[in-house]
């Protein structure tokens, strides 16, 4: 609707241009906003203020001329000019009703059209490290990145999910040596479920036993040389870590699959070539034995251009080198037009440097967008980085266990006739939904406070609240008996408002996907649910005395809200329930 009104205004402006009332080279920024106060219409534009100069008229007079030049539209009931020159649009309720009807019959898209210009988008997210527990910043990356991947895909883009795991580096010598030691001691294949402890023990051995350290260093060299044994041991570590992570993805309804793993090791063979190419292009130069690229737009400590090392004097490559090769690969191999990195804010400079070098080398063409979808830290209620009570890293599996036991408590208080199996399912979906939604609903750029009581509540902007709103609508349908949704007739003000809000679903999805900000969609769904609750208070559906046509219309509104909630939540990676 917004876009539609924008296009009407644009046609009006063009009309005035051909009539000579506006200079032909004037390009106005046409803004249309949904009005908060419905007595000022459904939408308003301030365009007339911007026309004062080019038209040489007071905004009210400019507004009058523009309104007269607008094409007729049956979607608009009335247009008014208000205050200093705002143009207010009143939407045609009959038209709105037919919009709801078409939302209900477009094959489950609920008004969200596929983009006219689909592109390949790479989403780099989750990206945990091998032989380490997924840390809190990986949780955020996983949850936010997955929601964005789903939205972009739903809009018709080809989405490549890239799980850029940390599976390469000198630490693997030590890890292989320690894995070998443990296998020798335990005889059988060991269970490596506590990565944190494994990593710590390996490091301790490395620091305290010179013979072990010597062996570990030897293994690094052999691994890099492609030695069979070391490759196998390395693969074991990668597989064990990713099997555990995959269980977490599945449990959390995260759409990542094993085939999405494209870790650092994948780019390793490309690094010598990349460095050679950067040398050939005169971008990489020798400095104290190392290969460095100078970034002229970046100031180093001494005020001179910043030097970024891409190969150390001992021949070792760096995290940056890998990300340069990775950027090149994403453009060349996938033909990506947009590459989104869901990585915490501490890596901002690292990413910008890698991309800058890749652009200088021509690996990233001008029309390809690389974006850092940065996010803040996850904090405990005390405002400090989120840790366990004893100060350790929070294990994701334990976090989900706790979410489930808290969800069970929350649901315990409600009378229910669900079977035990159904109850378990409800507990699981509420727990996972609550944890994910708590993260998704906040603006990702700020730090976020992890608070059990807030996220597992039926009040406020939470997953349980939205899941509950959905089950309420489903129960309306169970009670509706023979009655079915029918023609939408909007007579009550709250019905118009609800219908109006429903038509904005598409805008919310598009803008959340464009900005990689799932919180935009969360806010929309929350507002929609609130509006639905007010509608349902004022407009009974199944009560005696409600005329059949009114009832059919209200059932359509209910069906549209339920459909939008279910689809909207599924784009966020959250499931709804029939009953809870
Ligand atoms: N493995 C990294 C970490 O744990 C995140 C990788 C992000 N992606 C990338 N292309 N650098 O911090």
């Amino acid at each position: 609707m917004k876009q539609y009104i924008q296009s009407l205004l644009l046609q009006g402006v063009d009309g005035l241009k051909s009539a000579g009332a506006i200079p032909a080279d004037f390009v106005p920024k046409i803004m249309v906003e949904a009005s908060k106060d419905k007595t000022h219409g459904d939408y308003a534009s301030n365009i007339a203020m911007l026309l004062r100069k080019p038209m040489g008229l007071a905004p009210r007079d400019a507004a009058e001329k523009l309104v007269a030049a607008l094409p007729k539209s049956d979607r608009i009931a009335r247009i008014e000019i208000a205050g200093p020159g705002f143009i207010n649009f009143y939407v045609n309720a009959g038209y709105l009703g037919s919009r709801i009807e078409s939302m209900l019959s477009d094959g489950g898209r609920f008004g969200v059209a596929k983009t006219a210009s689909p592109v390949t988008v790479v989403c780099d997210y989750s990206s945990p490290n091998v032989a380490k527990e997924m840390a809190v910043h990986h949780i955020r990356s996983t949850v936010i990145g997955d929601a964005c991947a789903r939205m972009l895909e739903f809009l018709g883009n080809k989405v490549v999910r890239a799980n850029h795991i940390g599976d390469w580096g000198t630490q693997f010598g030590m890890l292989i040596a320690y894995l070998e030691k443990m296998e020798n001691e335990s005889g059988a294949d060991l269970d490596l479920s506590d990565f944190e402890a494994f990593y710590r023990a390996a490091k301790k051995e490395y620091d305290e036993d010179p013979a072990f350290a010597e062996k570990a260093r030897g293994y690094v060299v052999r691994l890099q040389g492609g030695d069979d044994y070391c490759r196998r041991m390395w693969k074991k570590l990668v597989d064990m870590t990713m099997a555990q992570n995959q269980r977490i993805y599945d449990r959390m309804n995260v759409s990542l699959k094993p085939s999405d793993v494209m870790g650092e090791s994948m780019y390793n063979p490309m690094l010598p070539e990349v460095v050679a190419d950067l040398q050939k292009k005169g971008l990489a130069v020798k400095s104290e034995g190392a290969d460095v690229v100078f970034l002229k737009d970046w100031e180093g400590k001494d005020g001179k251009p910043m030097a970024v090392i891409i190969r150390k004097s001992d021949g070792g490559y760096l995290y940056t080198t890998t990300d340069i090769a990775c950027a090149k690969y994403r453009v060349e191999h996938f033909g990506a037009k947009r590459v989104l990195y869901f990585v915490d804010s501490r890596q901002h400079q690292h990413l910008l440097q890698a991309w800058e070098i890749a652009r200088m080398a021509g690996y990233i063409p001008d029309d390809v967008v690389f974006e850092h979808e940065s996010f803040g830290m996850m904090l405990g209620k005390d405002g400090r980085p989120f840790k366990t009570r004893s100060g350790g890293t929070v294990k994701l599996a334990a976090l989900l266990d706790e979410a489930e036991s808290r969800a069970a408590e929350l649901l315990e208080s409600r009378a229910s006739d669900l079977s035990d199996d159904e109850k378990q399912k409800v507990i699981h979906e509420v727990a996972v939904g609550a944890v994910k939604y708590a993260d998704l609903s906040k603006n990702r750029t700020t730090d976020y406070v992890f608070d059990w009581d807030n996220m597992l509540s039926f009040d406020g902007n939470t997953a349980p609240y939205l899941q509950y709103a959905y089950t309420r609508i489903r129960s309306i349908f169970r009670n509706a008996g023979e009655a079915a949704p029918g023609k939408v007739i909007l007579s009550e003000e709250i019905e118009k408002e609800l219908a109006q809000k429903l038509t904005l679903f598409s805008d919310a999805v598009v803008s959340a996907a464009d900005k990689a900000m799932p919180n935009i969609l969360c806010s929309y769904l929350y507002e929609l649910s609130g509006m639905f609750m007010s509608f349902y208070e004022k407009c009974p559906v199944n009560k005696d005395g409600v005329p059949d046509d009114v009832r059919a219309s209200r059932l359509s509104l209910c069906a549209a809200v339920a459909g939008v909630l279910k689809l909207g939540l599924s784009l966020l990676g959250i499931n709804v329930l029939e009953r809870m």
Side-chain angles (χ1 to χ4, degrees), residues 341-385:
Y341 289 69
F342 296 87
V343 181
D344 79 295
S345 53
R346 289 167 301 185
Q347 296 192 31
H348 189 59
Q349 164 149 335
H350 156 75
L351 290 173
L352 292 189
Q353 290 179 346
W355 302 342
E356 171 88 13
I357 295 171
R359 285 210 189 265
M360 283 160 61
Y363 302 153
I364 308 178
D366 286 346
D367 66 336
V368 177
V369 182
F370 272 63
E371 280 167 32
H372 180 196
E373 313 306 354
S374 163
F375 50 81
M377 296 213 286
M378 192 155 145
L379 305 176
K381 247 175 142 168
D382 56 0
R384 314 257 291 273

Short mmCIF file of all heavy atoms in Angstrom, two decimals, residues 341-385:
data_model
loop_
_atom_site.label_atom_id
_atom_site.label_comp_id
_atom_site.label_asym_id
_atom_site.label_seq_id
_atom_site.Cartn_x
_atom_site.Cartn_y
_atom_site.Cartn_z
N TYR A 341 27.66 -11.38 6.40
CA TYR A 341 28.45 -12.03 7.45
C TYR A 341 27.80 -11.76 8.80
O TYR A 341 27.76 -10.63 9.26
CB TYR A 341 29.88 -11.48 7.47
CG TYR A 341 30.73 -11.89 6.29
CD1 TYR A 341 30.46 -11.42 5.00
CD2 TYR A 341 31.82 -12.74 6.45
CE1 TYR A 341 31.24 -11.79 3.92
CE2 TYR A 341 32.62 -13.12 5.37
CZ TYR A 341 32.32 -12.64 4.11
OH TYR A 341 33.10 -13.00 3.04
N PHE A 342 27.28 -12.83 9.42
CA PHE A 342 26.69 -12.69 10.75
C PHE A 342 27.76 -13.01 11.78
O PHE A 342 27.93 -14.17 12.18
CB PHE A 342 25.47 -13.60 10.89
CG PHE A 342 24.37 -13.21 9.94
CD1 PHE A 342 24.33 -13.70 8.64
CD2 PHE A 342 23.39 -12.30 10.34
CE1 PHE A 342 23.34 -13.30 7.76
CE2 PHE A 342 22.40 -11.90 9.46
CZ PHE A 342 22.37 -12.41 8.17
N VAL A 343 28.52 -11.99 12.11
CA VAL A 343 29.70 -12.17 12.95
C VAL A 343 29.69 -11.06 14.00
O VAL A 343 29.27 -9.94 13.71
CB VAL A 343 30.98 -12.09 12.09
CG1 VAL A 343 32.21 -12.30 12.95
CG2 VAL A 343 30.94 -13.09 10.94
N ASP A 344 30.17 -11.38 15.19
CA ASP A 344 30.04 -10.37 16.24
C ASP A 344 30.91 -9.14 16.00
O ASP A 344 31.86 -9.17 15.21
CB ASP A 344 30.27 -10.98 17.64
CG ASP A 344 31.71 -11.17 17.95
OD1 ASP A 344 32.36 -12.00 17.27
OD2 ASP A 344 32.23 -10.51 18.88
N SER A 345 30.54 -8.06 16.68
CA SER A 345 31.08 -6.75 16.34
C SER A 345 32.60 -6.66 16.51
O SER A 345 33.24 -5.83 15.88
CB SER A 345 30.41 -5.67 17.19
OG SER A 345 30.49 -6.01 18.55
N ARG A 346 33.18 -7.56 17.32
CA ARG A 346 34.63 -7.47 17.54
C ARG A 346 35.44 -7.78 16.28
O ARG A 346 36.60 -7.46 16.19
CB ARG A 346 35.04 -8.41 18.68
CG ARG A 346 34.57 -7.93 20.04
CD ARG A 346 34.73 -9.02 21.06
NE ARG A 346 33.96 -10.21 20.70
CZ ARG A 346 33.84 -11.29 21.48
NH1 ARG A 346 34.47 -11.33 22.62
NH2 ARG A 346 33.13 -12.33 21.09
N GLN A 347 34.80 -8.43 15.30
CA GLN A 347 35.54 -8.78 14.08
C GLN A 347 35.32 -7.78 12.95
O GLN A 347 35.66 -8.06 11.80
CB GLN A 347 35.16 -10.20 13.62
CG GLN A 347 35.55 -11.24 14.65
CD GLN A 347 35.46 -12.67 14.14
OE1 GLN A 347 35.65 -12.94 12.97
NE2 GLN A 347 35.17 -13.59 15.03
N HIS A 348 34.74 -6.63 13.28
CA HIS A 348 34.40 -5.66 12.23
C HIS A 348 35.61 -5.23 11.41
O HIS A 348 35.62 -5.29 10.19
CB HIS A 348 33.72 -4.44 12.87
CG HIS A 348 33.14 -3.51 11.86
ND1 HIS A 348 32.16 -3.90 10.95
CD2 HIS A 348 33.40 -2.21 11.57
CE1 HIS A 348 31.85 -2.88 10.18
NE2 HIS A 348 32.58 -1.85 10.53
N GLN A 349 36.64 -4.81 12.12
CA GLN A 349 37.82 -4.32 11.42
C GLN A 349 38.46 -5.42 10.56
O GLN A 349 38.88 -5.17 9.43
CB GLN A 349 38.82 -3.79 12.45
CG GLN A 349 40.22 -3.62 11.88
CD GLN A 349 40.97 -2.48 12.54
OE1 GLN A 349 40.38 -1.54 13.06
NE2 GLN A 349 42.27 -2.55 12.51
N HIS A 350 38.51 -6.61 11.14
CA HIS A 350 39.07 -7.74 10.39
C HIS A 350 38.35 -7.93 9.05
O HIS A 350 38.99 -8.06 8.00
CB HIS A 350 38.98 -9.02 11.22
CG HIS A 350 38.98 -10.26 10.38
ND1 HIS A 350 40.13 -10.74 9.77
CD2 HIS A 350 37.97 -11.08 9.96
CE1 HIS A 350 39.81 -11.81 9.05
NE2 HIS A 350 38.51 -12.03 9.14
N LEU A 351 37.03 -7.94 9.09
CA LEU A 351 36.26 -8.19 7.87
C LEU A 351 36.45 -7.05 6.86
O LEU A 351 36.68 -7.29 5.67
CB LEU A 351 34.77 -8.35 8.20
CG LEU A 351 34.40 -9.64 8.95
CD1 LEU A 351 32.94 -9.61 9.39
CD2 LEU A 351 34.67 -10.88 8.09
N LEU A 352 36.39 -5.81 7.35
CA LEU A 352 36.55 -4.68 6.43
C LEU A 352 37.90 -4.71 5.74
O LEU A 352 38.01 -4.42 4.54
CB LEU A 352 36.38 -3.35 7.18
CG LEU A 352 34.98 -3.04 7.71
CD1 LEU A 352 34.91 -1.61 8.22
CD2 LEU A 352 33.90 -3.27 6.65
N GLN A 353 38.93 -5.10 6.46
CA GLN A 353 40.27 -5.15 5.86
C GLN A 353 40.34 -6.23 4.78
O GLN A 353 40.86 -5.99 3.69
CB GLN A 353 41.33 -5.42 6.93
CG GLN A 353 41.53 -4.24 7.85
CD GLN A 353 42.56 -4.51 8.93
OE1 GLN A 353 42.94 -5.66 9.16
NE2 GLN A 353 43.01 -3.46 9.59
N ALA A 354 39.80 -7.40 5.11
CA ALA A 354 39.85 -8.50 4.14
C ALA A 354 39.09 -8.09 2.86
O ALA A 354 39.57 -8.31 1.74
CB ALA A 354 39.24 -9.76 4.74
N TRP A 355 37.93 -7.46 3.02
CA TRP A 355 37.13 -7.08 1.83
C TRP A 355 37.80 -5.97 1.05
O TRP A 355 37.75 -5.94 -0.18
CB TRP A 355 35.72 -6.62 2.25
CG TRP A 355 34.96 -7.66 3.00
CD1 TRP A 355 35.23 -9.01 3.05
CD2 TRP A 355 33.82 -7.46 3.83
NE1 TRP A 355 34.32 -9.64 3.85
CE2 TRP A 355 33.45 -8.73 4.35
CE3 TRP A 355 33.08 -6.34 4.20
CZ2 TRP A 355 32.36 -8.90 5.20
CZ3 TRP A 355 31.99 -6.50 5.05
CH2 TRP A 355 31.64 -7.77 5.55
N GLU A 356 38.41 -5.04 1.78
CA GLU A 356 39.08 -3.92 1.12
C GLU A 356 40.18 -4.47 0.20
O GLU A 356 40.32 -4.08 -0.95
CB GLU A 356 39.67 -2.99 2.19
CG GLU A 356 40.59 -1.90 1.67
CD GLU A 356 39.83 -0.64 1.29
OE1 GLU A 356 38.65 -0.54 1.67
OE2 GLU A 356 40.42 0.21 0.61
N ILE A 357 40.95 -5.41 0.72
CA ILE A 357 42.03 -6.00 -0.08
C ILE A 357 41.43 -6.77 -1.26
O ILE A 357 41.91 -6.66 -2.41
CB ILE A 357 42.92 -6.92 0.80
CG1 ILE A 357 43.63 -6.06 1.85
CG2 ILE A 357 43.95 -7.68 -0.05
CD1 ILE A 357 44.38 -6.85 2.91
N ALA A 358 40.34 -7.51 -1.00
CA ALA A 358 39.70 -8.27 -2.08
C ALA A 358 39.16 -7.32 -3.16
O ALA A 358 39.21 -7.63 -4.35
CB ALA A 358 38.58 -9.14 -1.51
N ARG A 359 38.68 -6.16 -2.75
CA ARG A 359 38.19 -5.19 -3.74
C ARG A 359 39.35 -4.61 -4.54
O ARG A 359 39.28 -4.49 -5.76
CB ARG A 359 37.41 -4.05 -3.07
CG ARG A 359 36.03 -4.44 -2.62
CD ARG A 359 35.04 -3.28 -2.66
NE ARG A 359 33.78 -3.68 -2.02
CZ ARG A 359 32.72 -4.15 -2.68
NH1 ARG A 359 32.75 -4.24 -4.00
NH2 ARG A 359 31.64 -4.51 -2.03
N MET A 360 40.45 -4.26 -3.83
CA MET A 360 41.62 -3.71 -4.53
C MET A 360 42.11 -4.70 -5.58
O MET A 360 42.55 -4.31 -6.66
CB MET A 360 42.74 -3.42 -3.52
CG MET A 360 42.52 -2.15 -2.69
SD MET A 360 43.49 -2.11 -1.14
CE MET A 360 45.14 -2.18 -1.72
N ALA A 361 42.02 -5.99 -5.26
CA ALA A 361 42.52 -7.01 -6.18
C ALA A 361 41.51 -7.34 -7.28
O ALA A 361 41.80 -8.14 -8.17
CB ALA A 361 42.86 -8.28 -5.40
N GLY A 362 40.33 -6.75 -7.20
CA GLY A 362 39.32 -7.00 -8.22
C GLY A 362 38.54 -8.28 -7.99
O GLY A 362 37.82 -8.73 -8.88
N TYR A 363 38.65 -8.86 -6.81
CA TYR A 363 37.90 -10.09 -6.52
C TYR A 363 36.43 -9.79 -6.24
O TYR A 363 35.57 -10.64 -6.42
CB TYR A 363 38.48 -10.83 -5.31
CG TYR A 363 39.93 -11.22 -5.43
CD1 TYR A 363 40.72 -11.38 -4.29
CD2 TYR A 363 40.51 -11.43 -6.69
CE1 TYR A 363 42.06 -11.73 -4.39
CE2 TYR A 363 41.85 -11.79 -6.79
CZ TYR A 363 42.62 -11.93 -5.63
OH TYR A 363 43.93 -12.28 -5.73
N ILE A 364 36.17 -8.58 -5.74
CA ILE A 364 34.79 -8.19 -5.47
C ILE A 364 34.44 -7.02 -6.41
O ILE A 364 34.94 -5.92 -6.24
CB ILE A 364 34.59 -7.72 -4.01
CG1 ILE A 364 35.13 -8.76 -3.02
CG2 ILE A 364 33.12 -7.43 -3.75
CD1 ILE A 364 35.01 -8.33 -1.55
N PRO A 365 33.60 -7.27 -7.41
CA PRO A 365 33.22 -6.19 -8.32
C PRO A 365 32.37 -5.15 -7.59
O PRO A 365 31.81 -5.43 -6.53
CB PRO A 365 32.39 -6.90 -9.40
CG PRO A 365 32.53 -8.35 -9.16
CD PRO A 365 32.98 -8.55 -7.75
N ASP A 366 32.23 -3.97 -8.22
CA ASP A 366 31.50 -2.87 -7.59
C ASP A 366 30.04 -3.19 -7.31
O ASP A 366 29.45 -2.68 -6.37
CB ASP A 366 31.56 -1.62 -8.48
CG ASP A 366 32.95 -0.98 -8.42
OD1 ASP A 366 33.72 -1.36 -7.52
OD2 ASP A 366 33.24 -0.14 -9.28
N ASP A 367 29.45 -4.04 -8.15
CA ASP A 367 28.01 -4.29 -7.97
C ASP A 367 27.72 -5.41 -6.98
O ASP A 367 26.58 -5.84 -6.84
CB ASP A 367 27.35 -4.59 -9.32
CG ASP A 367 27.84 -5.90 -9.91
OD1 ASP A 367 28.97 -6.33 -9.56
OD2 ASP A 367 27.10 -6.50 -10.71
N VAL A 368 28.74 -5.91 -6.31
CA VAL A 368 28.52 -6.95 -5.30
C VAL A 368 28.66 -6.34 -3.91
O VAL A 368 29.63 -5.65 -3.62
CB VAL A 368 29.51 -8.12 -5.49
CG1 VAL A 368 29.31 -9.16 -4.39
CG2 VAL A 368 29.33 -8.75 -6.85
N VAL A 369 27.65 -6.60 -3.10
CA VAL A 369 27.61 -6.00 -1.77
C VAL A 369 28.12 -6.99 -0.72
O VAL A 369 27.65 -8.13 -0.66
CB VAL A 369 26.15 -5.63 -1.42
CG1 VAL A 369 26.08 -4.97 -0.06
CG2 VAL A 369 25.56 -4.75 -2.50
N PHE A 370 29.07 -6.57 0.08
CA PHE A 370 29.51 -7.34 1.24
C PHE A 370 29.07 -6.58 2.48
O PHE A 370 29.37 -5.40 2.61
CB PHE A 370 31.03 -7.52 1.23
CG PHE A 370 31.50 -8.73 0.46
CD1 PHE A 370 31.25 -8.83 -0.91
CD2 PHE A 370 32.17 -9.78 1.08
CE1 PHE A 370 31.66 -9.94 -1.63
CE2 PHE A 370 32.59 -10.90 0.37
CZ PHE A 370 32.34 -10.98 -0.99
N GLU A 371 28.35 -7.23 3.36
CA GLU A 371 27.83 -6.54 4.54
C GLU A 371 28.19 -7.30 5.81
O GLU A 371 28.05 -8.52 5.86
CB GLU A 371 26.30 -6.48 4.50
CG GLU A 371 25.73 -5.41 3.61
CD GLU A 371 24.23 -5.61 3.38
OE1 GLU A 371 23.54 -6.13 4.28
OE2 GLU A 371 23.78 -5.27 2.28
N HIS A 372 28.61 -6.55 6.79
CA HIS A 372 28.82 -7.16 8.11
C HIS A 372 27.56 -6.97 8.94
O HIS A 372 27.24 -5.85 9.34
CB HIS A 372 30.02 -6.50 8.80
CG HIS A 372 30.30 -7.07 10.16
ND1 HIS A 372 31.09 -6.46 11.08
CD2 HIS A 372 29.88 -8.22 10.75
CE1 HIS A 372 31.14 -7.19 12.19
NE2 HIS A 372 30.41 -8.26 12.00
N GLU A 373 26.80 -8.03 9.16
CA GLU A 373 25.59 -7.94 9.98
C GLU A 373 26.06 -8.15 11.41
O GLU A 373 25.97 -9.23 11.99
CB GLU A 373 24.55 -8.98 9.56
CG GLU A 373 24.30 -9.05 8.06
CD GLU A 373 23.92 -7.72 7.41
OE1 GLU A 373 23.75 -6.73 8.13
OE2 GLU A 373 23.83 -7.67 6.18
N SER A 374 26.57 -7.08 11.94
CA SER A 374 27.25 -7.13 13.22
C SER A 374 26.25 -7.26 14.37
O SER A 374 25.12 -6.83 14.26
CB SER A 374 28.05 -5.84 13.33
OG SER A 374 28.43 -5.60 14.63
N PHE A 375 26.67 -7.88 15.45
CA PHE A 375 25.80 -7.91 16.62
C PHE A 375 26.62 -7.76 17.89
O PHE A 375 27.82 -8.01 17.90
CB PHE A 375 24.95 -9.19 16.67
CG PHE A 375 25.75 -10.45 16.49
CD1 PHE A 375 26.43 -11.01 17.54
CD2 PHE A 375 25.80 -11.07 15.24
CE1 PHE A 375 27.16 -12.18 17.36
CE2 PHE A 375 26.52 -12.24 15.06
CZ PHE A 375 27.21 -12.79 16.12
N GLY A 376 25.92 -7.32 18.93
CA GLY A 376 26.58 -7.07 20.20
C GLY A 376 26.70 -8.33 21.03
O GLY A 376 26.41 -9.43 20.56
N MET A 377 27.10 -8.18 22.26
CA MET A 377 27.33 -9.32 23.13
C MET A 377 26.04 -9.75 23.82
O MET A 377 25.09 -9.00 23.91
CB MET A 377 28.34 -8.94 24.20
CG MET A 377 29.70 -8.62 23.63
SD MET A 377 30.96 -9.10 24.77
CE MET A 377 30.80 -7.84 26.00
N MET A 378 26.07 -10.96 24.31
CA MET A 378 24.97 -11.47 25.10
C MET A 378 25.41 -11.31 26.55
O MET A 378 26.46 -11.81 26.94
CB MET A 378 24.77 -12.94 24.73
CG MET A 378 23.54 -13.58 25.20
SD MET A 378 23.21 -14.95 24.04
CE MET A 378 22.52 -16.14 25.14
N LEU A 379 24.61 -10.58 27.30
CA LEU A 379 24.97 -10.31 28.69
C LEU A 379 24.05 -11.03 29.65
O LEU A 379 22.90 -11.32 29.33
CB LEU A 379 24.87 -8.80 28.97
CG LEU A 379 25.68 -7.87 28.04
CD1 LEU A 379 25.39 -6.41 28.39
CD2 LEU A 379 27.17 -8.16 28.14
N GLY A 380 24.58 -11.29 30.83
CA GLY A 380 23.73 -11.84 31.90
C GLY A 380 22.90 -10.72 32.50
O GLY A 380 23.07 -9.55 32.16
N LYS A 381 22.01 -11.09 33.43
CA LYS A 381 21.14 -10.08 34.05
C LYS A 381 21.96 -9.04 34.81
O LYS A 381 21.52 -7.92 35.01
CB LYS A 381 20.20 -10.78 35.04
CG LYS A 381 18.75 -10.73 34.61
CD LYS A 381 17.92 -11.54 35.58
CE LYS A 381 16.58 -10.90 35.84
NZ LYS A 381 15.68 -11.82 36.55
N ASP A 382 23.18 -9.43 35.23
CA ASP A 382 24.05 -8.51 35.97
C ASP A 382 24.78 -7.55 35.03
O ASP A 382 25.59 -6.74 35.46
CB ASP A 382 25.06 -9.31 36.79
CG ASP A 382 25.90 -10.26 35.92
OD1 ASP A 382 25.68 -10.28 34.68
OD2 ASP A 382 26.75 -10.98 36.46
N GLY A 383 24.50 -7.64 33.73
CA GLY A 383 25.13 -6.72 32.79
C GLY A 383 26.53 -7.15 32.38
O GLY A 383 27.21 -6.47 31.62
N ARG A 384 26.98 -8.31 32.87
CA ARG A 384 28.31 -8.82 32.49
C ARG A 384 28.14 -9.91 31.44
O ARG A 384 27.06 -10.47 31.30
CB ARG A 384 29.01 -9.39 33.73
CG ARG A 384 28.92 -8.49 34.97
CD ARG A 384 30.19 -7.75 35.22
NE ARG A 384 31.25 -8.67 35.65
CZ ARG A 384 31.46 -9.02 36.91
NH1 ARG A 384 30.65 -8.58 37.87
NH2 ARG A 384 32.46 -9.82 37.22
N PRO A 385 29.23 -10.20 30.70
CA PRO A 385 29.12 -11.26 29.68
C PRO A 385 28.48 -12.52 30.25
O PRO A 385 28.76 -12.93 31.37
CB PRO A 385 30.57 -11.51 29.27
CG PRO A 385 31.24 -10.19 29.49
CD PRO A 385 30.56 -9.58 30.70
#
